[in-house]
Amino acid sequence: MKVSKLILIPDVVKVAALAVATLSLSACDAIYDDLQPCPPTGAQVRFIYDYNMEFANAFPAQVDCLTLYVYDEEGRLVESHTETTEVLADENYRMTLDLEEGHYTLMAHGGLACGNASFAPVADHEPGALHTDMSVAMLPECLTDPSRCNLHKFFYGALEIDVVKENMTDATVEMMRNTNDVQIALQHLHGTPVDVNDFNFEIYDDNTLFRHDNEIIPSSEVTYRPWATANRTTGTVGDATRAEGITEVQVALAEMSLSRLVTSNHPRLLITKAEDGSPVVDLPLINYMLLYKSAKHASMPDQEYLDRENQWQILFFLDENKSDLWVKNYIQINDWTVRINDVDM
């Protein structure tokens, strides 16, 4: 009997161990009607755009289409997602990604998937493509077709995340705007009306091709021209009791749209007379934009300032006594007016 007991004990242990192992199985490995399902694995991704001078999230108001590329730890495209509906206008919008455990890189573009997009991937970006192969370029017609010169807003953002099994990772992709709106006004110093049809407005830059990390790839210099021009009035000046009487102040206004401005480039603003092409204004655009950076933002790097600020208003005063030339010691950009001694910056 003692021998038989010794032989039976291992069998009992095996049976007991098997029973314990069976009972210890979680809902992820076995199906039980009375147990909760296993937690999903993936990420909940939020998108914000507060990289602006207001330091406030403007994503719901400005981004109307979104494309997200997901790359694995080897930098290869796993999947992509596109959203073009009004859900983007909801502050609570989140994109849900069902991903396996691992390390991922997220690359987001706002404005690529819209019907009137001004930028597009240079080549098809299919699953398996490398992260570093991604590049985006401005569509050529946005430089030649006046109806397309008002660039559709274009945004970029990237983030690396780690996804843990049976967990939904919360992630926030911070976006940056790559397009600028520029308004240029010409006004005579003494109030004589200015006709916008008497002038040509052009900005020269090399900033239409973007690398995977949103840096500019030098390609070729392009010419930006106005998408809208108009004559506007600012009211009247003068004295009815004097010989010159009262004059209505009419200014010439041109609205232009530009791609990303970077400190490593040297874009120029050129305004010429329509009748003979003679220059009225010829200046290095970025130098003057940075000249008016407020002292409140003195510690902000120049590139950050250019990226955060995307609305520019530039006012030039012309001297009618000197063939409508720009009064070169006086210019106003946005809310800042400064007298300049050195105009050959």
Side-chain angles (χ1 to χ4, degrees):
M1 292 295 294
K2 290 182 180 180
V3 174
S4 62
K5 287 180 180 179
L6 289 173
I7 295 173
L8 292 173
I9 286 174
D11 294 333
V12 173
V13 171
K14 290 178 182 178
V15 172
L18 181 60
V20 171
T22 302
L23 291 173
S24 66
L25 288 175
S26 69
C28 299
D29 302 308
I31 299 176
Y32 293 93
D33 292 337
D34 58 344
L35 294 178
Q36 292 295 322
C38 217
T41 300
Q44 292 273 1
V45 185
R46 182 191 182 201
F47 303 87
I48 64 172
Y49 166 54
D50 59 4
Y51 200 68
N52 48 53
M53 294 306 293
E54 290 74 31
F55 296 82
N57 182 24
F59 181 91
Q62 295 200 28
V63 181
D64 52 357
C65 63
L66 180 68
T67 304
L68 180 69
Y69 298 97
V70 182
Y71 302 88
D72 62 19
E73 59 185 357
E74 295 180 352
R76 295 195 175 276
L77 183 63
V78 176
E79 59 189 40
S80 62
H81 302 269
T82 300
E83 184 59 73
T84 60
T85 69
E86 62 277 3
V87 299
L88 294 174
D90 185 352
E91 178 69 32
N92 297 315
Y93 170 73
R94 303 291 187 274
M95 182 179 286
T96 301
L97 305 177
D98 295 324
L99 300 172
E100 296 180 355
E101 183 177 19
H103 182 79
Y104 297 90
T105 297
L106 309 181
M107 180 197 297
H109 288 106
L112 287 189
C114 302
N116 56 344
S118 299
F119 295 81
V122 172
D124 292 337
H125 207 53
E126 303 294 340
L130 287 172
H131 172 229
T132 53
D133 288 342
M134 181 62 176
S135 58
V136 173
M138 184 188 297
L139 298 174
E141 56 266 32
C142 293
L143 294 167
T144 58
D145 184 349
S147 66
R148 299 296 307 279
C149 288
N150 184 15
L151 301 179
H152 191 83
K153 295 184 182 70
F154 174 46
F155 298 82
Y156 169 88
L159 179 69
E160 293 188 9
I161 63 171
D162 289 304
V163 173
V164 181
K165 187 177 181 181
E166 298 179 23
N167 279 280
M168 290 300 289
T169 300
D170 291 324
T172 299
V173 176
E174 299 179 354
M175 308 290 285
M176 183 176 77
R177 180 170 163 176
N178 284 327
T179 47
N180 295 267
D181 296 322
V182 181
Q183 293 178 304
I184 301 172
L186 303 179
Q187 177 179 336
H188 271 141
L189 196 61
H190 304 294
T192 303
V194 182
D195 188 348
V196 72
N197 297 306
D198 293 338
F199 301 91
N200 296 319
F201 301 80
E202 296 173 324
I203 293 176
Y204 300 91
D205 203 352
D206 181 0
N207 60 346
T208 59
L209 182 60
F210 289 85
R211 205 168 62 181
H212 69 279
D213 56 1
N214 207 44
E215 293 299 315
I216 298 294
I217 303 174
S219 53
S220 61
E221 185 177 74
V222 298
T223 304
Y224 294 95
R225 294 182 175 87
W227 61 269
T229 58
N231 291 321
R232 301 276 181 88
T233 60
T234 63
T236 57
V237 295
D239 188 338
T241 63
R242 296 192 176 188
E244 66 271 17
I246 296 177
T247 302
E248 183 177 54
V249 178
Q250 177 179 294
V251 302
L253 180 69
E255 298 194 59
M256 307 180 73
S257 188
L258 312 176
S259 182
R260 187 186 181 198
L261 297 167
V262 293
T263 55
S264 57
N265 281 4
H266 305 284
R268 295 196 69 83
L269 168 62
L270 178 64
I271 303 175
T272 58
K273 293 182 181 179
E275 61 178 1
D276 59 10
S278 59
V280 175
V281 173
D282 184 2
L283 56 80
L285 186 61
I286 285 181
N287 298 51
Y288 280 82
M289 288 176 167
L290 293 176
L291 186 66
Y292 296 92
K293 185 171 68 171
S294 170
K296 295 183 295 183
H297 307 299
S299 61
M300 182 183 293
D302 288 346
Q303 187 58 58
E304 179 179 346
Y305 176 72
L306 292 174
D307 288 332
R308 283 184 177 273
E309 182 63 83
N310 50 65
Q311 302 288 330
W312 306 92
Q313 292 81 40
I314 306 175
L315 173 61
F316 294 98
F317 287 88
L318 307 181
D319 190 343
E320 59 185 317
N321 296 321
K322 295 183 178 181
S323 301
D324 286 338
L325 292 180
W326 165 42
V327 181
K328 293 187 177 181
N329 67 336
Y330 192 77
I331 182 177
Q332 178 174 317
I333 297 183
N334 290 357
D335 296 328
W336 295 90
T337 303
V338 175
R339 294 188 178 276
I340 305 165
N341 294 320
D342 180 10
V343 297
D344 296 320
M345 298 175 65

